[in-house]
Every structure is written in structure tokens, then in C-alpha cells.
Amino acid sequence: RRPSKMRALRAVSRVSWLVAAAAAFEPGVSRRAVLATAGVDWRQFTALAPLGPAVEGSQASSKVDGLSLEDLSSRLVHDATEGATGRGGYLVTGDLDGRLFDDTCRFVDPTNDVASLARYRTALGLLFEGVDQDVRLVAPVAIDATRRTITADLRVGPGVLKLPWRPRIAAFETEITWTVGDDGIVHEQSQRWSISAAEALLETFTPGWASR
């Protein structure tokens, strides 16, 4: 059965819901109060894991190994900007080639920290309307052979989230780093954003009509 959109609400705790909702409808003191919490680790409230069940079973036998860092980089950037099957950049659609990632790959960004490829893909498929959201490379990819990392700078958005109040997400930039294991697949993906976690959370709970 296809997960309902309401499961997305479970990704945010009752505390962060109340804080962000208050900020959305009282843009004065409440908004400043939320943005003042930039030092808070919002990932404790907004983990992707509750958004959907993990897909049972491992795809280890079908993983793609033996790729050079350069070839792996090309495939990752393609999936990040266009999608593995052309449905749009996987950061907003979940359309990635799972053979390039370990099943327990850790995905970290300012609002989430989850160690599950299946849950990560499910979450992105539930949250974003990928057809409205553009993802593109804004700087040359950097490959560090010693640390076995691939780093790309991407511009994401603007776009809309699949939530009842249709929040609009302004364009932002992200530095994404993929860490590659000795087996030749990605074991960690980490992101740094040009906006704070508090700002991202505030946008999530601001109705689309209020952000125009």
C-alpha cells in the first residue's frame, strides 16, 4: 500500500510542530525566536526514518563495484541533477541508482541523519514535488582520492512540498559530499546548506499562500 502524505507529519516532533507553526502565523517575535535557535540540532526532531518502512531484503548482490572515483562521480552527479531514470534530481525525487550506495548508507544534512538507503528514498518520494524543483551543478566536482570523497556544489529549487498547506521552498545551495568505501560504493552522504536548519524548518511550516 502506498504511504499516505500524512506520514510526512510524523517526521516532525510535537515540539518542533508547535514552534514552527507559531512562527509561520506570527511572523514577528515568533519568527525571530525560531531563527534564534540556529544552534539547536534539529535532526533530533526531524529524522527521515518515520516517513516510511524500509524495503525488506538487501540488494548487495546487485551493487556496482569496481568503478573509478571519476566514473562513480559522473554517475552520482547525473542522478543528483537528472535522476537515475530521468524523473528529476534524486535530492527531491529519490530517483537514485541504489546500486551505487550501501544499504546502510548514512545520509546526513542539517535536519536529518538516517542510516538507511530504503528510508531515505521513501522519504524523498513523499516530501517533494520533483517536477517543480530544479537541481543543477554550480561548480566543478572535487575528488579526493586519499580520503575517497566526491564533493559537488548544487543549487536546489525553488519548489513545493507535498504537504496539505503546500509550502514553497526557496532555492538554496548545498555542498554534498559522498564518502566511498573500499568496496567502491557510497557509505555516507553529507550535506551543508546555504540556509540554516531553523530557516528550512520554518519554510516547511509556512503555507504556500503566505510565502508568495
Side-chain angles (χ1 to χ4, degrees), residues 3-203:
S4 70
K5 294 179 182 179
M6 292 306 293
R7 287 190 181 178
L9 301 181
R10 299 174 191 166
V12 184
S13 74
R14 184 175 301 173
V15 174
S16 58
W17 164 273
L18 292 174
V19 173
F25 291 102
E26 296 183 27
V29 176
S30 297
R31 184 183 183 90
R32 291 196 298 271
V34 171
L35 295 182
T37 62
V40 174
D41 186 356
W42 289 103
R43 286 171 293 199
Q44 63 183 310
F45 301 125
T46 56
L48 287 174
L51 289 180
V55 176
E56 297 297 331
S58 171
Q59 296 180 329
S61 61
S62 63
K63 297 300 182 184
V64 175
D65 55 14
L67 293 177
S68 67
L69 288 177
E70 289 75 14
D71 288 341
L72 180 59
S73 170
S74 295
R75 295 181 67 157
L76 289 170
V77 170
H78 173 270
D79 289 5
T81 56
E82 300 180 39
T85 64
R87 293 192 290 111
Y90 80 74
L91 296 178
V92 296
T93 64
D95 184 21
L96 58 78
D97 186 347
R99 298 175 301 168
L100 305 178
F101 295 81
D102 186 75
D103 289 339
T104 59
C105 181
R106 183 184 180 195
F107 297 89
V108 184
D109 65 40
T111 60
N112 295 286
D113 188 342
V114 60
S116 169
L117 173 60
R119 292 187 185 279
Y120 178 73
R121 297 172 77 174
T122 298
L124 294 179
L126 284 172
L127 282 177
F128 297 97
E129 293 192 357
V131 293
D132 297 329
Q133 206 150 1
D134 179 46
V135 182
R136 63 177 182 268
L137 190 67
V138 295
V141 176
I143 298 176
D144 187 328
T146 301
R147 299 178 61 188
R148 295 188 62 78
T149 61
I150 301 167
T151 301
D153 292 325
L154 303 170
R155 185 179 186 275
V156 182
V160 177
L161 296 185
K162 294 179 182 178
L163 292 170
W165 51 93
R166 306 276 296 168
R168 299 181 63 82
I169 304 302
F172 67 95
E173 292 192 3
T174 178
E175 178 188 86
I176 182 169
T177 298
W178 296 281
T179 301
V180 183
D182 293 336
D183 54 2
I185 58 177
V186 178
H187 283 255
E188 180 172 304
Q189 171 186 294
S190 61
Q191 292 185 69
R192 294 194 300 176
W193 295 345
S194 60
I195 60 174
S196 70
E199 289 172 310
L201 187 62
L202 184 58
E203 280 192 325

